[in-house]
Amino acid sequence: MVAVAETAIGSNDRQFPHQLDPSSSPPRSPSSSDCNSDFQRDVRKLVDLLSKLNPSAKEFVPLSKSKSSSPLSANAPAFDMISTGGEDSDNQKQSGADSRRKRNVYNQGKRRAEGVLKCQRDDSIRRTVYVSDIDMHVTEEQLAALFTCCGQVVDCRVCGDPHSFLRFAFVEFADEHSARTALNLSGTMIGYYPLRVLPSKTAILPVNPTFLPRSEDEREMCSRTIYCTNIDKKVTQTDVRAFFEACCGEVSRLRLLGDHAHSTRIAFVEFVQADSATVALSRSGMRLGDLPIRVSPSKTPVRPRVPRQR
């Protein structure tokens, strides 16, 4: 570019304007020699200006020859593989699809399990009757024996204070037909009061099967065991043992349970003789500490503790 400008100094071309230098004053009827002199002076200034430029500056380097072929400036926003596409984008999309598919399968399985549990619960409710106005001396065994004439009794659960006339029970049958037949026993006298039998609105809460008797020996243990609730938290295990041994008989094993989250505690008391357990049932409502205890037959045996492995 400088060489081209130097070549142009010697030419007689009159195409360049005379106002290249803004500081120059307007010509006053210039002669031919004056015009050539002004033109050559302006061209020299242009050559001097161009000679000071660096031809290696990035402004003069073509994009195809630069180290970075990207036309973006340094301040341009970054574009990742997700937005521009590519293998990583495909992998992440596939991973997201797999995650959504797994969540859908989990939710479907959860809804299916909840539906199955609801159906089972509804079926159990239809097979259960509610029995009220039960005499305080009537046991679960006697009540279950009464309803066996209607069909197979799966479970019988007597609830409430034995000293109250408001005792009630739930009796579950093996099929719905037996439960509907059991409604006809409403008004039957057992003890001193006629029973009242109605369709149940709830199912019997099942006992944890891991605690149920596993052998004849454990079933015999259950016949000698009572379940005691509403025990004052200040009462110790020694107090519970002394209470029942004083009025019922010798205690062979006792388990007192509870924590700080509950206001009362529970206990399983196993006697040496089954008659002692029968006598203990009549002690329901008596005060132990500051609270009246509630006593009922135990459905689970008191198993000996297994020492922890160290």
Side-chain angles (χ1 to χ4, degrees), residues 73-90:
S73 64
N75 297 327
F79 296 90
D80 54 18
M81 293 298 292
I82 297 178
S83 59
T84 59
E87 183 178 355
D88 291 344
S89 175
D90 294 340

PDB file of all heavy atoms in Angstrom, residues 73-90:
ATOM      1  N   SER A  73     -16.488 -12.580  19.028  1.00  0.00           N
ATOM      2  CA  SER A  73     -15.564 -11.786  19.827  1.00  0.00           C
ATOM      3  C   SER A  73     -15.362 -12.424  21.181  1.00  0.00           C
ATOM      4  O   SER A  73     -16.026 -13.386  21.549  1.00  0.00           O
ATOM      5  CB  SER A  73     -16.130 -10.358  19.999  1.00  0.00           C
ATOM      6  OG  SER A  73     -17.344 -10.414  20.723  1.00  0.00           O
ATOM      7  N   ALA A  74     -14.439 -11.821  21.944  1.00  0.00           N
ATOM      8  CA  ALA A  74     -14.126 -12.386  23.255  1.00  0.00           C
ATOM      9  C   ALA A  74     -15.290 -12.251  24.216  1.00  0.00           C
ATOM     10  O   ALA A  74     -15.419 -13.015  25.179  1.00  0.00           O
ATOM     11  CB  ALA A  74     -12.882 -11.698  23.836  1.00  0.00           C
ATOM     12  N   ASN A  75     -16.160 -11.264  23.974  1.00  0.00           N
ATOM     13  CA  ASN A  75     -17.286 -11.032  24.864  1.00  0.00           C
ATOM     14  C   ASN A  75     -18.548 -11.785  24.442  1.00  0.00           C
ATOM     15  O   ASN A  75     -19.609 -11.597  25.031  1.00  0.00           O
ATOM     16  CB  ASN A  75     -17.606  -9.534  24.923  1.00  0.00           C
ATOM     17  CG  ASN A  75     -16.451  -8.740  25.506  1.00  0.00           C
ATOM     18  OD1 ASN A  75     -15.732  -9.242  26.365  1.00  0.00           O
ATOM     19  ND2 ASN A  75     -16.276  -7.508  25.050  1.00  0.00           N
ATOM     20  N   ALA A  76     -18.429 -12.605  23.395  1.00  0.00           N
ATOM     21  CA  ALA A  76     -19.605 -13.331  22.918  1.00  0.00           C
ATOM     22  C   ALA A  76     -20.015 -14.382  23.940  1.00  0.00           C
ATOM     23  O   ALA A  76     -19.177 -14.944  24.635  1.00  0.00           O
ATOM     24  CB  ALA A  76     -19.308 -14.004  21.580  1.00  0.00           C
ATOM     25  N   PRO A  77     -21.328 -14.649  24.111  1.00  0.00           N
ATOM     26  CA  PRO A  77     -21.773 -15.668  25.081  1.00  0.00           C
ATOM     27  C   PRO A  77     -21.336 -17.064  24.681  1.00  0.00           C
ATOM     28  O   PRO A  77     -21.200 -17.372  23.503  1.00  0.00           O
ATOM     29  CB  PRO A  77     -23.304 -15.530  25.050  1.00  0.00           C
ATOM     30  CG  PRO A  77     -23.599 -14.954  23.710  1.00  0.00           C
ATOM     31  CD  PRO A  77     -22.448 -14.032  23.395  1.00  0.00           C
ATOM     32  N   ALA A  78     -21.096 -17.899  25.708  1.00  0.00           N
ATOM     33  CA  ALA A  78     -20.650 -19.273  25.460  1.00  0.00           C
ATOM     34  C   ALA A  78     -21.847 -20.143  25.118  1.00  0.00           C
ATOM     35  O   ALA A  78     -22.931 -19.989  25.679  1.00  0.00           O
ATOM     36  CB  ALA A  78     -19.931 -19.819  26.689  1.00  0.00           C
ATOM     37  N   PHE A  79     -21.626 -21.062  24.182  1.00  0.00           N
ATOM     38  CA  PHE A  79     -22.670 -21.999  23.767  1.00  0.00           C
ATOM     39  C   PHE A  79     -22.200 -23.402  24.114  1.00  0.00           C
ATOM     40  O   PHE A  79     -21.119 -23.810  23.708  1.00  0.00           O
ATOM     41  CB  PHE A  79     -22.938 -21.902  22.254  1.00  0.00           C
ATOM     42  CG  PHE A  79     -23.485 -20.567  21.837  1.00  0.00           C
ATOM     43  CD1 PHE A  79     -22.640 -19.534  21.475  1.00  0.00           C
ATOM     44  CD2 PHE A  79     -24.841 -20.354  21.842  1.00  0.00           C
ATOM     45  CE1 PHE A  79     -23.153 -18.306  21.109  1.00  0.00           C
ATOM     46  CE2 PHE A  79     -25.363 -19.130  21.465  1.00  0.00           C
ATOM     47  CZ  PHE A  79     -24.513 -18.089  21.096  1.00  0.00           C
ATOM     48  N   ASP A  80     -23.015 -24.136  24.947  1.00  0.00           N
ATOM     49  CA  ASP A  80     -22.626 -25.493  25.329  1.00  0.00           C
ATOM     50  C   ASP A  80     -23.195 -26.491  24.330  1.00  0.00           C
ATOM     51  O   ASP A  80     -23.910 -26.149  23.402  1.00  0.00           O
ATOM     52  CB  ASP A  80     -23.111 -25.820  26.749  1.00  0.00           C
ATOM     53  CG  ASP A  80     -24.596 -25.575  26.894  1.00  0.00           C
ATOM     54  OD1 ASP A  80     -25.271 -25.497  25.851  1.00  0.00           O
ATOM     55  OD2 ASP A  80     -25.071 -25.453  28.046  1.00  0.00           O
ATOM     56  N   MET A  81     -22.861 -27.768  24.589  1.00  0.00           N
ATOM     57  CA  MET A  81     -23.238 -28.820  23.652  1.00  0.00           C
ATOM     58  C   MET A  81     -24.741 -29.078  23.661  1.00  0.00           C
ATOM     59  O   MET A  81     -25.297 -29.587  22.715  1.00  0.00           O
ATOM     60  CB  MET A  81     -22.501 -30.113  24.006  1.00  0.00           C
ATOM     61  CG  MET A  81     -20.993 -30.029  23.782  1.00  0.00           C
ATOM     62  SD  MET A  81     -20.596 -29.730  22.057  1.00  0.00           S
ATOM     63  CE  MET A  81     -21.123 -31.273  21.344  1.00  0.00           C
ATOM     64  N   ILE A  82     -25.408 -28.718  24.783  1.00  0.00           N
ATOM     65  CA  ILE A  82     -26.844 -28.966  24.835  1.00  0.00           C
ATOM     66  C   ILE A  82     -27.570 -28.074  23.853  1.00  0.00           C
ATOM     67  O   ILE A  82     -28.490 -28.490  23.173  1.00  0.00           O
ATOM     68  CB  ILE A  82     -27.352 -28.748  26.271  1.00  0.00           C
ATOM     69  CG1 ILE A  82     -26.705 -29.742  27.214  1.00  0.00           C
ATOM     70  CG2 ILE A  82     -28.874 -28.848  26.333  1.00  0.00           C
ATOM     71  CD1 ILE A  82     -27.122 -29.559  28.651  1.00  0.00           C
ATOM     72  N   SER A  83     -27.115 -26.781  23.759  1.00  0.00           N
ATOM     73  CA  SER A  83     -27.801 -25.845  22.889  1.00  0.00           C
ATOM     74  C   SER A  83     -27.382 -25.989  21.436  1.00  0.00           C
ATOM     75  O   SER A  83     -28.129 -25.668  20.540  1.00  0.00           O
ATOM     76  CB  SER A  83     -27.537 -24.406  23.362  1.00  0.00           C
ATOM     77  OG  SER A  83     -26.150 -24.135  23.346  1.00  0.00           O
ATOM     78  N   THR A  84     -26.152 -26.432  21.196  1.00  0.00           N
ATOM     79  CA  THR A  84     -25.669 -26.540  19.821  1.00  0.00           C
ATOM     80  C   THR A  84     -25.813 -27.930  19.265  1.00  0.00           C
ATOM     81  O   THR A  84     -25.562 -28.160  18.094  1.00  0.00           O
ATOM     82  CB  THR A  84     -24.184 -26.116  19.748  1.00  0.00           C
ATOM     83  OG1 THR A  84     -23.424 -26.950  20.608  1.00  0.00           O
ATOM     84  CG2 THR A  84     -24.031 -24.665  20.187  1.00  0.00           C
ATOM     85  N   GLY A  85     -26.194 -28.898  20.117  1.00  0.00           N
ATOM     86  CA  GLY A  85     -26.334 -30.271  19.650  1.00  0.00           C
ATOM     87  C   GLY A  85     -25.031 -31.023  19.751  1.00  0.00           C
ATOM     88  O   GLY A  85     -24.001 -30.484  20.135  1.00  0.00           O
ATOM     89  N   GLY A  86     -25.057 -32.289  19.462  1.00  0.00           N
ATOM     90  CA  GLY A  86     -23.845 -33.094  19.508  1.00  0.00           C
ATOM     91  C   GLY A  86     -24.070 -34.359  20.287  1.00  0.00           C
ATOM     92  O   GLY A  86     -25.167 -34.666  20.777  1.00  0.00           O
ATOM     93  N   GLU A  87     -23.003 -35.096  20.462  1.00  0.00           N
ATOM     94  CA  GLU A  87     -23.095 -36.398  21.129  1.00  0.00           C
ATOM     95  C   GLU A  87     -23.453 -36.242  22.593  1.00  0.00           C
ATOM     96  O   GLU A  87     -24.279 -36.974  23.125  1.00  0.00           O
ATOM     97  CB  GLU A  87     -21.760 -37.134  20.986  1.00  0.00           C
ATOM     98  CG  GLU A  87     -21.776 -38.541  21.588  1.00  0.00           C
ATOM     99  CD  GLU A  87     -20.468 -39.251  21.385  1.00  0.00           C
ATOM    100  OE1 GLU A  87     -19.598 -38.678  20.697  1.00  0.00           O
ATOM    101  OE2 GLU A  87     -20.323 -40.363  21.912  1.00  0.00           O
ATOM    102  N   ASP A  88     -22.826 -35.228  23.287  1.00  0.00           N
ATOM    103  CA  ASP A  88     -23.131 -35.029  24.696  1.00  0.00           C
ATOM    104  C   ASP A  88     -24.595 -34.651  24.878  1.00  0.00           C
ATOM    105  O   ASP A  88     -25.258 -35.074  25.835  1.00  0.00           O
ATOM    106  CB  ASP A  88     -22.229 -33.934  25.293  1.00  0.00           C
ATOM    107  CG  ASP A  88     -20.790 -34.390  25.379  1.00  0.00           C
ATOM    108  OD1 ASP A  88     -20.564 -35.607  25.273  1.00  0.00           O
ATOM    109  OD2 ASP A  88     -19.904 -33.530  25.535  1.00  0.00           O
ATOM    110  N   SER A  89     -25.088 -33.830  23.959  1.00  0.00           N
ATOM    111  CA  SER A  89     -26.493 -33.435  24.048  1.00  0.00           C
ATOM    112  C   SER A  89     -27.396 -34.649  23.905  1.00  0.00           C
ATOM    113  O   SER A  89     -28.384 -34.801  24.644  1.00  0.00           O
ATOM    114  CB  SER A  89     -26.812 -32.399  22.975  1.00  0.00           C
ATOM    115  OG  SER A  89     -28.176 -32.088  22.969  1.00  0.00           O
ATOM    116  N   ASP A  90     -27.090 -35.522  22.971  1.00  0.00           N
ATOM    117  CA  ASP A  90     -27.901 -36.722  22.785  1.00  0.00           C
ATOM    118  C   ASP A  90     -27.867 -37.612  24.017  1.00  0.00           C
ATOM    119  O   ASP A  90     -28.883 -38.180  24.422  1.00  0.00           O
ATOM    120  CB  ASP A  90     -27.407 -37.505  21.562  1.00  0.00           C
ATOM    121  CG  ASP A  90     -27.625 -36.720  20.270  1.00  0.00           C
ATOM    122  OD1 ASP A  90     -28.471 -35.802  20.279  1.00  0.00           O
ATOM    123  OD2 ASP A  90     -26.926 -37.013  19.271  1.00  0.00           O
TER     124      ASP A  90
END
